[in-house]
């Protein structure tokens, strides 16, 4: 294998391989969606910081979700947009590995933050009298810090296992960013250990958390049905349905991507699914939380009214 092996310095991202007219259209469309993603999550983050009424554990974790969504999109989308207008669609190998590392880290963080948010709603609805004790600010800080630290550690494990592999040509990635499965196809060695670790990580950060979320919301649903007040029941359903929409969108696309057997066109399937949870999901999250959450809409009105000149 030594005669065919070469040191990779850069790779080519093939992207969507569309015609010039379609690529210009996609550049405009994805630029607009990316701007909406940053704007929407930035507004959510700003509202939570500015309105004291939203200084609660639920919105503390929602602010982390907004930060992750902006970071997640910013890690993948700018390079994709650059490649739409640049004929030389290359990226140096080290930045490519860094992109893989950050993409994995932010994906893991989002999974764990969504689980913590479901636990927060479970405690708030099923144990309201003990909520402030169980979800103290110290506990919230520990949960948030643990989610970030564990996610970066898991991503580091993946990257270390990638860097142990020898890589040989062709130095082309059939994707719009350095997605881990596409990067592994460049290796000229056995990648079964990498595949096993990826599957184990999926069980740990996708299947396990999803089961915990479903258990939490089963208990929450039973508690909501016992609420006598119609207004209280409506508020609880509104808050929880927003979170379930986000959970379904993210976990569903990620499980299909990494745990369902690949179709006859795995590369195109990966591109569409990656685009969904790299751009569409981060853009939809603030819309879901703002449109279906009366507290967020009320906080936005208060902030806009405060900023309006007398």
């Amino acid at each position: 294998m030594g005669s065919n092996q070469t040191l990779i310095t850069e790779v080519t991202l093939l992207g969507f391989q569309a015609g010039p007219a379609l690529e210009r259209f996609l550049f405009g469309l994805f630029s607009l969606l990316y701007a909406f993603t940053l704007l929407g999550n930035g507004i959510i983050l700003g509202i939570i910081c500015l309105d004291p009424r939203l200084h609660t554990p639920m919105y503390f974790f929602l602010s982390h979700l907004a930060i992750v969504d902006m970071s997640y999109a910013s890690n993948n989308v700018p390079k994709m947009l650059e490649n739409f207008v640049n004929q030389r669609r290359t990226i140096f190998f080290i930045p490519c590995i860094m992109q893989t590392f950050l993409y994995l880290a932010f994906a893991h963080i989002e999974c764990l933050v969504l689980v913590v948010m479901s636990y927060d709603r479970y405690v708030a609805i099923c144990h309201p009298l003990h909520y402030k004790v169980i979800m103290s600010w110290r506990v919230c800080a520990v949960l948030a810090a643990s989610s970030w630290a564990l996610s970066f550690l898991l991503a580091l494990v993946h990257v270390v296992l990638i860097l142990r592999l020898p890589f040989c040509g062709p130095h082309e990635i059939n994707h719009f960013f350095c997605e881990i499965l596409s990067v592994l196809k460049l290796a000229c060695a056995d990648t079964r250990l990498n595949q096993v670790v990826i599957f184990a990580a999926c069980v740990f950060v996708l299947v396990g958390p999803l089961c915990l979320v479903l258990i939490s919301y089963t208990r929450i649903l039973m508690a909501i049905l016992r609420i006598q007040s119609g207004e209280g029941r409506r508020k609880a359903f509104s808050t929880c349905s927003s979170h379930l929409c986000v959970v379904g969108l993210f976990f569903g696309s990620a499980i299909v991507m990494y745990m369902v057997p690949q179709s006859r066109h795995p590369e195109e399937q990966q591109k569409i699914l990656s685009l969904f949870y790299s751009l569409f999901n981060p853009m939809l999250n603030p819309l879901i939380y703002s449109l279906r959450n009366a507290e967020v809409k009320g906080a936005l009105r208060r902030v806009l009214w405060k900023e309006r000149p007398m």
Side-chain angles (χ1 to χ4, degrees):
M1 188 169 61
S3 61
N4 294 327
Q5 184 177 332
T6 58
L7 179 65
I8 286 186
T9 58
E10 63 180 20
V11 294
T12 301
L13 296 172
L14 298 180
F16 290 97
Q17 304 179 59
L22 180 57
E23 287 194 344
R24 286 193 294 270
F25 171 77
L26 292 177
F27 173 81
L29 176 62
F30 294 154
S31 297
L32 191 63
L33 295 179
Y34 179 54
F36 281 144
T37 298
L38 297 182
L39 180 63
N41 285 286
I43 290 174
I44 291 288
L45 190 60
I47 290 173
I48 293 172
C49 292
L50 292 174
D51 195 324
R53 300 185 193 183
L54 299 186
H55 293 175
T56 63
M58 173 183 169
Y59 293 102
F60 171 74
F61 294 119
L62 181 57
S63 67
H64 280 265
L65 187 64
I67 292 171
V68 171
D69 282 338
M70 288 190 289
S71 303
Y72 198 34
S74 297
N75 182 57
N76 301 336
V77 178
K79 184 61 180 176
M80 177 183 69
L81 296 177
E82 177 189 338
N83 289 340
F84 279 132
V85 296
N86 189 359
Q87 294 300 319
R88 191 172 182 271
R89 304 178 175 187
T90 58
I91 182 173
F92 288 108
F93 186 67
I94 297 302
C96 180
I97 295 300
M98 281 300 300
Q99 189 181 53
T100 302
F101 170 72
L102 292 174
Y103 143 76
L104 290 170
F106 292 135
H108 292 157
I109 293 169
E110 180 143 0
C111 290
L112 297 180
V113 168
L114 288 173
V115 174
V116 173
M117 290 176 70
S118 71
Y119 175 70
D120 171 74
R121 290 299 85 203
Y122 163 74
V123 176
I125 294 174
C126 297
H127 303 283
L129 298 180
H130 302 95
Y131 178 72
K132 290 186 177 181
V133 176
I134 297 175
M135 297 301 295
S136 65
W137 282 113
R138 181 178 180 181
V139 171
C140 292
V142 169
L143 289 173
S146 300
S147 298
W148 284 81
L150 182 59
S151 299
F152 275 93
L153 181 62
L154 286 173
L156 184 61
V157 170
H158 287 296
V159 169
V160 169
L161 290 177
I162 290 175
L163 292 177
R164 75 180 177 85
L165 297 170
F167 291 89
C168 47
H171 301 163
E172 294 180 343
I173 295 178
N174 190 10
H175 216 294
F176 59 86
F177 75 103
C178 295
E179 192 271 332
I180 185 170
L181 296 179
S182 299
V183 172
L184 287 177
K185 293 178 182 179
L186 301 179
C188 48
D190 189 4
T191 61
R192 278 181 292 184
L193 176 59
N194 298 77
Q195 301 286 349
V196 169
V197 172
I198 290 172
F199 186 83
C202 287
V203 173
F204 180 72
V205 299
L206 286 177
V207 178
L210 181 59
C211 291
L212 292 176
V213 170
L214 293 177
I215 292 171
S216 296
Y217 275 95
T218 300
R219 300 288 299 274
I220 288 171
L221 179 61
M222 294 171 61
I224 289 175
L225 293 177
R226 290 196 297 267
I227 295 177
Q228 300 297 324
S229 168
E231 178 64 21
R233 186 181 299 178
R234 185 199 62 79
K235 183 178 179 181
F237 265 122
S238 176
T239 303
C240 294
S241 62
S242 299
H243 185 229
L244 277 176
C245 287
V246 174
V247 167
L249 287 172
F250 184 82
F251 280 89
S253 57
I255 288 175
V256 170
M257 175 78 176
Y258 291 103
M259 303 197 73
V260 173
Q262 296 181 347
S263 66
R264 296 179 181 178
H265 306 286
E267 291 86 1
E268 299 307 313
Q269 180 191 49
Q270 288 176 15
K271 291 177 190 177
I272 294 172
L273 288 172
S274 296
L275 186 65
F276 186 84
Y277 61 76
S278 296
L279 184 58
F280 294 152
N281 203 45
M283 182 193 68
L284 291 174
N285 284 355
L287 290 176
I288 291 171
Y289 279 109
S290 61
L291 293 178
R292 296 187 61 84
N293 193 308
E295 289 182 338
V296 173
K297 288 187 287 187
L300 180 59
R301 284 193 295 267
R302 288 192 294 272
V303 169
L304 292 177
W305 184 260
K306 186 184 299 183
E307 296 297 330
R308 182 179 298 176
M310 298 301 292

